[in-house]
Amino acid sequence: STVATTLTIRGLGKIPVYKGDPTWISPKIWNFISEKAVLMRPSAIRICNGSWHEAHELSQILKNKGLLEEMTSLENVYVARTDPSDTMRVEKNTFIVTNSRSEVQPNRTVTISRAKNFQSMLAQWMSPKKFVQEADERFPGCMRGRTMYVIPFSMGPIGGRFSKNAVQLTDSPYVVINMRVVARVSSSVWDAIGNGDFVKCVHSVGVPRPVLHRLKNNWACNTSDIFIAHILEESEIWSYGSGYGGNSLLGKKCLALRMGSYMGLKDGWLAEHAAIISITDPQDQEIFVCVSFPSGAGKTTMSAMLPALPGWKIKVLGDDIAWIRWKDGQMFAMAPENGMFGIAADVKEDSGKILIEALKRDALVVNCATTSKGRLMWQGIEGTLEPEETVVDWRGETWTKDSKSFRPPAHPNCRFTVYTSNVANVHPKWDSPCGVPISAYIFGSRRPDAYPLVLETNNWAEGVLLATGMRSKVGSGTDRKSDGLVNDPMSMRPFMAYNFGKYVDHWLEMGKNREKVPKIFHVNWYQEDDNGNVIWPGFNENIRVLEWIFNRVRNPTDESNVSTSVIGKTPKSLNMDGLPLKIDLKKLCEPPPTFWLKEMAEIRSFVNAEMGDDKPQQIEFMLHELAAKL
Ligand code: SPV
Ligand code: MN
């Protein structure tokens, strides 16, 4: 690139500034940039503008360095293979920094033995003092010999009344090309910020030059030293050591969920780990719903669903994050993201048609395999391989279809980055600055046990209570490993940013004193029989459950297809037209009598441990009341 300007930064000296014009940037923002440049000591600065030209140029540079493979049979599709140690979110080194511990961890007046060595599975707290120590061990000089990219971005449409502006500094051009897909990256964000607030994001892969060790797959990372911190009061996010999505695309989990949920607490809204979709029936009636499943439990799949029942349509506004607030007497959900970062592994040609199609142009894929025909490959679609077609797997090793030692071609957390607007079933209102009015909130977990296929909770508060107790089998996107069920309240366990009792209280408050409160449903596509086989076909057949939900929302007084229990309502029947399997709906929807009693006991012990004295009275009251009724 040609040098646009040479600037002198006090404390750093002369530094070339490539591309963008620094005079666009207000002094307040420039202070942030120059201060961090002095700390991290890059050899150049590049001000990004989010253009196609910029993405193309960076992609070609990365391709020439062997970091990206360009898919010859597809249009503007690139594949990255990471260092095998940098493939997922790292929960264990993710922290929330606040002055007082109790803003993040539960208060406790009574010391019970359990509380003494209590290790929260939700947000981890760090003191500002400890943060300074940890940051001092990592960030000084961490960008030596590298270019520092300055990314102006907005979560939500640029200038939108509920959008949040931010600037991310990074030494990873790979992060730049991904960020411009998942967030709105543009020079107009400088104007949107003006002299106002913005979230300050600092990211480094932690590999200053000269590099003294051999990089794996040309992928720079420092995974033994990963550190991700959110300073809530300062609106600052610091991330070190990883180039993987959730650790490095700071607009996503760090800003739109963790920082966002804290902003929402103060301003009366919610930032949630949920897809936003619309369901349209054969009569062209449409409802909007939020769908909150834990990581790797099918939000993206559901967002791109091609319903098995004729005449029904699913459209997507966002597949991962929803910002929710009241407006004009209705609960609105807005998608802050510009793109999707979904799991590619196991996406199949039939059930995943829309996603397969979306991956044919303008996509980035990480840790999949590629074939000698210039195609993408992962487990689930090996059947499409031609006899002579060879595969280079995600580790960079070559295989053929008949290799005896055929291994999974892709990492189980192999992911793609695509523009929401490139997905065939995108909703025309997907980038509305206020979002859409939702009439139902659907929580779901991955549970092999008897948790019902679908349950309409009795009211907002009880729906929230059950969401508080959500447990699920963990997916492949995180360093947390477990064979059993892991608590994942509201699908937010890895993204919780403040005191859990306050968080649940905020949820309860959101549903109080309102006329039109969305119904809360819980679903479970993953019930298994005694042999460990799932007993519900899932995927595009889930429309049969959505049809029931749709009818419950549209005709709440029609109770003809409803079985009522203490916990809530379940369907008496579902539309099974065209389904070749015999479905035992009773088994799917009616757990044995002791099930809910045990479930309430689990919820009770979880909230006692994770909320301490901050447990909302209403939670205690509902647990008591439901247990009595059961
Ligand atoms: C998740 O793990 O929930 C994701 C992927 O959506 S990441 O952005 O990496 O967290
Ligand atoms: Mn997610």
Side-chain angles (χ1 to χ4, degrees), residues 524-542:
N524 173 27
W525 313 140
Y526 300 94
Q527 237 185 88
E528 289 175 7
D529 63 16
D530 296 339
N531 303 318
N533 301 314
V534 283
I535 58 174
W536 173 251
F539 297 99
N540 298 337
E541 308 295 347
N542 290 332

Side-chain angles (χ1 to χ4, degrees), residues 171-290:
D171 51 10
S172 165
Y174 174 76
V175 164
V176 176
I177 58 174
N178 276 274
M179 270 295 280
R180 63 183 289 290
V181 183
V182 298
R184 272 91 169 176
V185 174
S186 165
S187 304
S188 19
V189 172
W190 301 127
D191 286 340
I193 297 176
N195 281 318
D197 294 334
F198 63 101
V199 180
K200 304 179 178 93
C201 305
V202 183
H203 169 254
S204 171
V205 290
V207 188
R209 290 200 173 101
V211 183
L212 301 174
H213 62 279
R214 208 186 145 84
L215 299 181
K216 291 183 184 146
N217 290 336
N218 302 306
W219 180 267
C221 62
N222 191 343
T223 47
S224 55
D225 237 358
I226 289 176
F227 177 67
I228 301 162
H230 309 69
I231 311 179
L232 297 185
E233 278 310 319
E234 314 287 331
S235 282
E236 273 181 31
I237 299 164
W238 293 72
S239 169
Y240 180 91
S242 170
Y244 169 75
N247 303 328
S248 67
L249 310 177
L250 302 187
K252 201 171 159 55
K253 304 300 183 175
C254 299
L255 195 167
L257 281 180
R258 298 196 191 96
M259 197 60 81
S261 65
Y262 177 69
M263 293 172 171
L265 172 72
K266 290 189 298 184
D267 297 341
W269 51 282
L270 292 166
E272 293 299 319
H273 193 206
I276 311 168
I277 62 172
S278 80
I279 309 171
T280 308
D281 78 352
Q283 284 71 48
D284 247 12
Q285 300 293 313
E286 183 177 52
I287 63 166
F288 294 99
V289 302
C290 281

Side-chain angles (χ1 to χ4, degrees), residues 65-328:
K65 284 187 182 166
L67 194 109
L68 287 183
E69 180 184 348
E70 188 169 1
M71 291 294 95
T72 50
S73 71
L74 304 169
E75 197 184 322
N76 192 28
V77 175
Y78 293 86
V79 168
R81 291 175 172 84
T82 70
D83 181 315
S85 71
D86 197 18
T87 60
M88 59 190 78
R89 263 186 296 102
V90 177
E91 287 181 30
K92 73 174 196 298
N93 297 329
T94 298
F95 300 94
I96 306 295
V97 181
T98 56
N99 284 322
S100 101
R101 176 189 277 273
S102 66
E103 286 174 70
V104 177
Q105 298 286 290
N107 288 291
R108 266 181 230 286
T109 45
V110 203
T111 326
I112 39 173
S113 60
R114 171 155 187 195
K116 272 194 195 149
N117 4 352
F118 166 71
Q119 177 67 49
S120 171
M121 58 186 337
L122 305 175
Q124 301 190 88
W125 178 73
M126 182 173 272
S127 70
K129 195 173 152 206
K130 178 86 166 129
F131 167 78
V132 170
Q133 282 169 12
E134 296 288 339
D136 274 354
E137 283 172 17
R138 292 173 174 84
F139 289 96
C142 66
M143 289 189 181
R144 260 182 228 281
R146 293 190 184 270
T147 298
M148 181 172 90
Y149 298 85
V150 178
I151 312 172
F153 71 98
S154 170
M155 297 314 288
I158 296 169
R161 58 194 272 215
F162 303 132
S163 299
K164 296 292 171 199
N165 297 309
V167 179
Q168 177 164 341
L169 311 177
T170 180
D171 51 10
S172 165
Y174 174 76
V175 164
V176 176
I177 58 174
N178 276 274
M179 270 295 280
R180 63 183 289 290
V181 183
V182 298
R184 272 91 169 176
V185 174
S186 165
S187 304
S188 19
V189 172
W190 301 127
D191 286 340
I193 297 176
N195 281 318
D197 294 334
F198 63 101
V199 180
K200 304 179 178 93
C201 305
V202 183
H203 169 254
S204 171
V205 290
V207 188
R209 290 200 173 101
V211 183
L212 301 174
H213 62 279
R214 208 186 145 84
L215 299 181
K216 291 183 184 146
N217 290 336
N218 302 306
W219 180 267
C221 62
N222 191 343
T223 47
S224 55
D225 237 358
I226 289 176
F227 177 67
I228 301 162
H230 309 69
I231 311 179
L232 297 185
E233 278 310 319
E234 314 287 331
S235 282
E236 273 181 31
I237 299 164
W238 293 72
S239 169
Y240 180 91
S242 170
Y244 169 75
N247 303 328
S248 67
L249 310 177
L250 302 187
K252 201 171 159 55
K253 304 300 183 175
C254 299
L255 195 167
L257 281 180
R258 298 196 191 96
M259 197 60 81
S261 65
Y262 177 69
M263 293 172 171
L265 172 72
K266 290 189 298 184
D267 297 341
W269 51 282
L270 292 166
E272 293 299 319
H273 193 206
I276 311 168
I277 62 172
S278 80
I279 309 171
T280 308
D281 78 352
Q283 284 71 48
D284 247 12
Q285 300 293 313
E286 183 177 52
I287 63 166
F288 294 99
V289 302
C290 281
V291 179
S292 171
F293 304 167
S295 296
K299 286 189 298 301
T300 309
T301 307
M302 181 134 171
S303 300
M305 175 182 190
L306 279 169
L309 292 176
W312 289 81
K313 285 196 239 19
I314 298 294
K315 291 187 195 141
V316 60
L317 293 93
D319 78 326
D320 197 44
I321 301 177
W323 284 358
I324 297 159
R325 71 184 75 229
W326 285 97
K327 192 176 90 71
D328 311 328

Side-chain angles (χ1 to χ4, degrees), residues 401-416:
K401 192 177 183 180
D402 304 315
S403 287
K404 287 220 168 57
S405 42
F406 195 88
R407 293 194 301 197
H411 187 279
N413 193 38
C414 150
R415 288 195 180 245
F416 59 81

Side-chain angles (χ1 to χ4, degrees), residues 17-39:
V17 177
Y18 294 96
K19 303 290 169 181
D21 182 348
T23 57
W24 290 345
I25 299 175
S26 73
K28 178 174 161 186
I29 307 170
W30 188 256
N31 275 347
F32 162 66
I33 297 169
S34 56
E35 194 180 280
K36 298 304 175 276
V38 171
L39 172 71

Side-chain angles (χ1 to χ4, degrees), residues 604-617:
R604 178 183 291 276
S605 83
F606 180 67
V607 298
N608 284 347
E610 292 284 354
M611 291 179 175
D613 299 346
D614 306 307
K615 181 169 54 181
Q617 271 185 2

